[in-house]
Amino acid sequence: MVSQKTLTKIQLNTCPTADELAELNIGDVVYLNGLVYTARESVYTGVLDGDLEIPSEFNISEGANFHCSPAANQHEDGSFSLGAVSATASFRFSKWIGRWLEKTKSKIVIGKGGMSTNDYAKHFVPNKTIYLTTVGYGTGALLGRGVKKVKSLYWKKELGLAQAMWVLEVKNFGPFLVECDIKGNSLFEREHKKISLKIDKIYEGTRPAILKRLGETDDRKDELI
Amino acid sequence: MISLKTIENTAAVLMKKAAVEIPNDYLSGLKAMAKVEDGDLSSFVLQAMLENYEVAKEDSRAMCGDTGCPRWYIKMGNESSIEGGPVALESALRRATASATSSIPLRPNRVHPLWRTDHDNNVGIGAPEIEYGFEPEGDWIDLITVHKGGLFGTDYRMLFPSDGIQGIKRFFLDSLVSFGKRGLACQPAIIGIGIGGSKDSCMVLGKRAACLRVVGDKNPDPKIAELEEEFKELGNSIGMGAMGFVGKSMVIDCNIEVGYCHTGGMQMSVHAFCLSSRRAVARIYDTGDVEYRTDPNWFTAYQRRETVEW
Ligand code: SF4
């Protein structure tokens, strides 16, 4: 085994203090304790532009917003079975995230692949919110183990199981990596810059296709989200 | 005659195996990669994945929260016969898919493309896909389920003969670099490449190369086998690893399949079978005996047939 620099591991409440958040650096490994709610396109449009109301019994500012729909099921007696949970790609939610964070004051967003540094600067930094990325991204069984209980399921009928809002009680829920810290630094951007420095070398000797495609960029150092 | 009940029961077992147990060939490939990965973040990701497969097995839960889109490949020996015929077979597979979705549970991923209607059971118009192949001898049928995940990691391009191997390499690299950024392809993956055929069959070949061939096997054409090895090395030399972090874990293995194409063109497709490379296989014999395995062994000489008569 190649020897590794070990990464810092941290247990964090889903409703963290400003000081706890300020201590986190990009690339730190985080495990969460508290409440996590899933919200993606249908919840965003339903609450922000439609007539869905965030249920008052659930203090959403204390929960972390998870871009996810779990592999789960509700039985006829109302009980739940929940197997694995993984995140879904977050870049698609850019157009809602600003208004969502303003409304909910959630301090943590969990997802897959991060969002753009522009989103971080415009929406995350002012709200003092951080972004955690899931790992792999296929660590669904590990994350499933960290879910202690399905607390409630909202809008199952209106939105379907996959898009409904699941509220989960979690303990030692992770691992996640800090992708965007409180200052808006991005782990993916940092890594991307390092990789881009050497990328031309691997292309040496290859040839661009004879027939171009519409809108084609040949600069592989471009970010794509 | 193979009974429907045996088919439905076997299909239910396969749905669970695919969702929960990572196939051994992929697991060994990943372990070998984890040994040599020297990027600290990429290496952390690989270790977490290895732990995740253990947890999935121990808890008997799906390995990934996105349980992909279940589909079926059926291979029939020429002498096999099925109670109720192929139509009954198809409804047995559809029933097994639906009931496994709630019993395992799987994520009900399949929705109507426009109206987003979800039956919450992974069944709908044209879903699950069921594809067929035949073999010259045998009274058995092979049931193969693949739960392919990932909206990212697939691309198609019409290249031309003058693009040559260098053009193929470029498109291969472009696909890996663009889908590998931020790890959207959930790499390291089994990369399947289809070359030739026509647009549709090129996509089918590439997808099957990714999902129906195992880590470590080689194309029977030695020159193509060499390319497979070369592309694997190339992909792992980009400088990118798991999740798009600095590292060298992109390609667990590269499988290439080809088909004869129009003389003016050279179609190419690239497919990534992700960190949750879910496939499970069973052979059901006429006697009712069932043998489980993880190698689909799809690409036999007959599947790649080259000449007019077999
Ligand atoms: S691409 Fe594969 S590993 Fe990644 S989230 Fe989807 S199913 Fe899971």
Side-chain angles (χ1 to χ4, degrees), chain A residues 1-2 4-5 7 9 27 29 40 69-73 81-86 89 91-92 112-115 133-142 144-145 161-162 175 177 179 186-192 194-195 199 202-203 205-213 216 218 220-225, chain B residues 34-41 43-45 47-49 51-52 55-56 58-59 61-67 102-103 105-108 118 120 151-152 155-160 162-164 166-167 169-171 173-174 177-178 181-184 186-187 234 237-241 243-246 275-276:
Chain A
M1 185 87 46
V2 188
Q4 297 298 332
K5 173 176 122 225
L7 309 175
K9 295 198 171 119
V29 180
R40 50 188 301 174
S69 36
N73 184 27
S81 52
L82 181 139
V85 284
S86 302
F91 70 86
R92 298 171 285 169
K112 169 177 177 177
M115 302 184 77
T133 175
T134 52
V135 170
Y137 297 92
T139 46
L142 272 177
R145 232 186 211 186
L161 275 180
L177 288 165
E179 136 68 3
S186 159
L187 178 66
F188 284 120
E189 289 248 329
R190 186 191 78 189
E191 294 289 297
H192 182 248
K194 286 193 215 162
I195 293 167
I199 201 123
I202 193 87
Y203 274 80
T206 67
R207 261 205 310 261
I210 298 159
L211 183 66
K212 295 273 175 296
R213 298 201 285 202
E216 189 154 61
D218 211 39
R220 53 202 66 82
K221 292 178 200 127
D222 284 351
E223 266 280 18
L224 291 175
I225 66 168
Chain B
K35 278 213 181 96
V36 295
E37 177 57 86
D38 50 14
D40 51 355
L41 288 159
S43 169
F44 172 76
V45 176
Q47 293 304 334
M49 281 313 301
E51 202 184 318
N52 183 69
V55 168
E58 271 171 36
D59 295 5
R61 55 171 100 226
M63 62 181 95
C64 184
D66 183 345
T67 52
S102 65
S103 66
L106 301 180
R107 193 158 102 181
D118 194 339
D120 284 342
L151 297 175
F152 314 100
D155 205 357
Y156 167 85
R157 185 160 196 159
M158 174 63 95
L159 297 173
F160 300 91
S162 62
D163 280 313
Q166 292 311 329
K169 261 191 198 161
R170 162 82 64 134
F171 185 52
L173 283 172
D174 278 350
V177 169
S178 55
K181 284 187 190 199
R182 294 169 183 254
L184 291 184
C186 288
Q187 70 263 16
L234 188 66
S237 315
I238 294 172
M240 197 189 270
M243 285 179 77
F245 296 141
V246 171
L275 276 166
S276 301

Side-chain angles (χ1 to χ4, degrees), chain A residues 10-111:
Chain A
I10 294 150
Q11 293 280 343
L12 190 70
N13 194 281
T14 54
C15 181
T17 64
D19 285 350
E20 284 168 340
L21 285 181
E23 275 172 28
L24 298 175
N25 294 309
I26 53 173
D28 285 351
V29 180
V30 170
Y31 295 83
L32 291 175
N33 300 291
L35 282 184
V36 164
Y37 64 89
T38 67
R40 50 188 301 174
E41 50 271 53
S42 298
V43 168
Y44 288 155
T45 47
V47 170
L48 297 172
D49 303 319
D51 47 13
L52 297 183
E53 290 273 353
I54 296 172
S56 55
E57 78 256 22
F58 167 48
N59 188 355
I60 201 161
S61 69
E62 293 179 358
N65 177 185
F66 194 7
H67 291 152
C68 155
S69 36
N73 184 27
Q74 184 173 31
H75 304 293
E76 271 170 22
D77 64 359
S79 65
F80 300 96
S81 52
L82 181 139
V85 284
S86 302
T88 195
S90 301
F91 70 86
R92 298 171 285 169
F93 309 130
S94 167
K95 69 187 230 202
W96 299 291
I97 198 69
R99 284 158 67 210
W100 183 259
L101 291 181
E102 238 168 68
K103 189 175 174 86
T104 62
K105 307 280 182 256
S106 289
K107 292 293 164 219
I108 300 174
V109 174
I110 313 164

Side-chain angles (χ1 to χ4, degrees), chain B residues 3 8-9 42 56 102 130 170 189 193 210 217-219 254 286 301:
Chain B
S3 84
E8 201 168 329
N9 292 343
S42 179
S102 65
I130 306 180
R170 162 82 64 134
I193 300 180
D217 90 9
K218 301 215 174 318
N219 190 290
C254 175
D286 201 55

Side-chain angles (χ1 to χ4, degrees), chain B residues 12 206 226:
Chain B
E226 244 171 64

